[in-house]
Amino acid sequence: MTETDEPGLTSGGLGVLSAEARELYRSVIRSHGRLHPADADGAVRGCLHELTDIGLLVPDTDNPEVLVAVDPGQLSVRLSTAWQRKALDLLNRAVSLPTELQELAESFRVPEQTGGTIEYVRGKVLINQRLGQLVSSCREEMLAAQPGGPRPPEALAGVIDRDLEMLRRGADIRTIYHPSTRYHPATRDYVASIAEHGGQVRTLDEPYTRLIVIDRRTAVIPVAEDLNLAAFIHDQAVISYVVEEVFERNWSRGLDFDGTRTVPPQVVSRLRQTIIDLLLKGINHRVIARRLGISERTLARHIAEMREEYHVESLFQLGYVLARTNPEAIESTEAFG
């Protein structure tokens, strides 16, 4: 072993020499401190490994095939210093190891193993910022259920580039809208753009919950009706349940929407039935239009087409005919006057 070699272990353990190895070392000293390993028999070779491992015998500088004895006093000082340094390093690592692995330990326990967390965010600005961060990092899939009427044109213009970039990255986008969005030009343009790049949209005329799921790792749901408080759910069990039992069930009942102006007959029929129900309850046109997420002009067109379908001239007559065909849905027809 040379001066620069790292001290090793003996066959008997750290710093422990067998009686046979000690006797062999003394024999080497008596032989002028030199030994030819080739002359050693089988019984001696095991002791040689002990002496070379600890550094009491090292190859001669001039003739590496010959082993020479090293001063045990100098060797003990060098080994003692090196081993103390190693011991101190191991002690420091032992002390710092729990802290260094704490973050990984938390990742192991939460959320994959023992359940995740629910993060509550208050305020629309903070909610949108937090949601924007998640959407920007989406790599696999974004699921969205957007109840109510069409989103404002400026809101759609603000997300179209982001969503197209997401689709180009290879992520999937599936969105559920209210059927009234089929009558909204800005929404039709948005849907047509993302559909061209692989995005999928369906409309559902049943009540459903607002929901956004990013990469099936985070689900976002509203907590307050005014949408000023949202829950960001990171628990994988909850997210799996929400996706399979809520989103996928609603998605399976929706009708495909690719942004075209053509509206499926069943959508028109259900929308007009809703208009009829609201008219029979005495709700005025402005409120109906707002509730359905359509313009008053679109509502007026549907009413005009229904008047033509029922062969009546006025709202009063339409109300009368509708009341006769839907007697349970109305208490009076005063709203049509």
Side-chain angles (χ1 to χ4, degrees):
M1 181 173 184
T2 67
E3 294 290 332
T4 58
D5 285 339
E6 188 73 10
L9 298 176
T10 69
S11 59
L14 189 62
V16 177
L17 287 172
S18 66
E20 292 80 4
R22 293 171 186 270
E23 182 57 34
L24 177 61
Y25 180 79
R26 293 189 183 98
S27 174
V28 172
I29 296 299
R30 291 192 294 268
S31 301
H32 308 289
R34 300 173 67 83
L35 174 68
H36 288 270
D39 298 335
D41 57 24
V44 173
R45 291 187 182 279
C47 299
L48 275 178
H49 285 304
E50 290 185 55
L51 296 174
T52 55
D53 283 346
I54 198 171
L56 281 172
L57 292 180
V58 298
D60 186 14
T61 304
D62 296 328
N63 185 3
E65 295 182 359
V66 176
L67 296 176
V68 297
V70 172
D71 181 1
Q74 294 181 2
L75 178 63
S76 66
V77 172
R78 189 169 75 249
L79 290 182
S80 178
T81 301
W83 288 346
Q84 288 181 41
R85 186 168 60 248
K86 278 181 173 293
L88 181 60
D89 179 64
L90 289 172
L91 180 61
N92 289 333
R93 292 179 64 186
V95 171
S96 62
L97 188 61
T99 301
E100 292 178 357
L101 297 184
Q102 179 63 32
E103 182 180 351
L104 295 180
E106 292 177 355
S107 298
F108 180 81
R109 294 192 300 267
V110 180
E112 290 80 0
Q113 297 297 321
T114 60
T117 60
I118 298 179
E119 173 189 3
Y120 292 95
V121 179
R122 186 177 297 277
K124 291 182 180 179
V125 173
L126 294 179
I127 292 172
N128 289 333
Q129 288 179 351
R130 183 79 176 89
L131 187 58
Q133 294 171 350
L134 290 171
V135 173
S136 297
S137 64
C138 179
R139 289 294 181 272
E140 299 175 4
E141 178 186 59
M142 181 176 74
L143 309 177
Q146 303 280 8
R151 301 166 69 185
E154 57 272 17
L156 293 170
V159 300
I160 181 63
D161 291 338
R162 178 203 69 188
D163 292 351
L164 289 176
E165 176 60 28
M166 192 189 313
L167 290 168
R168 294 188 188 102
R169 290 198 302 265
D172 295 326
I173 296 179
R174 286 191 289 157
T175 304
I176 300 174
Y177 280 141
H178 189 272
S180 60
T181 56
R182 293 177 181 268
Y183 299 95
H184 189 243
T187 303
R188 287 200 302 264
D189 292 343
Y190 165 81
V191 172
S193 296
I194 68 168
E196 184 179 354
H197 291 80
Q200 300 179 70
V201 178
R202 290 183 179 182
T203 61
L204 182 64
D205 57 6
E206 305 171 12
Y208 57 89
T209 303
R210 187 178 302 274
L211 170 67
I212 297 176
V213 181
I214 306 297
D215 286 336
R216 304 207 179 196
R217 297 177 182 174
T218 304
V220 185
I221 61 174
V223 178
E225 291 185 2
D226 60 1
L227 305 182
N228 272 316
L229 181 62
F232 288 71
I233 303 170
H234 307 286
D235 188 293
Q236 295 303 302
V238 175
I239 292 173
S240 296
Y241 178 84
V242 167
V243 170
E244 298 301 327
E245 299 299 324
V246 179
F247 183 86
E248 294 294 357
R249 286 178 180 270
N250 288 335
W251 179 262
S252 67
R253 296 194 298 272
L255 296 176
D256 289 332
F257 177 30
D258 61 4
T260 60
R261 296 178 61 91
T262 303
V263 181
Q266 55 267 53
V267 172
V268 177
S269 176
R270 292 293 295 269
L271 182 64
R272 290 184 177 178
Q273 184 59 54
T274 302
I275 293 174
I276 291 171
D277 294 340
L278 295 175
L279 286 172
L280 293 177
K281 292 179 181 179
I283 300 175
N284 66 52
H285 293 186
R286 180 173 300 177
V287 174
I288 293 175
R290 185 170 63 248
R291 186 174 297 184
L292 295 179
I294 60 178
S295 67
E296 291 188 57
R297 177 179 299 180
T298 300
L299 174 62
R301 190 182 78 243
H302 280 292
I303 293 176
E305 291 174 355
M306 284 190 290
R307 285 165 51 185
E308 181 177 351
E309 179 181 348
Y310 285 100
H311 306 288
V312 298
E313 297 294 332
S314 67
L315 284 177
F316 181 84
Q317 291 174 321
L318 178 60
Y320 179 78
V321 172
L322 293 176
R324 290 175 62 86
T325 57
N326 300 271
E328 305 88 2
I330 184 171
E331 296 179 355
S332 71
T333 58
E334 296 177 357
F336 290 83

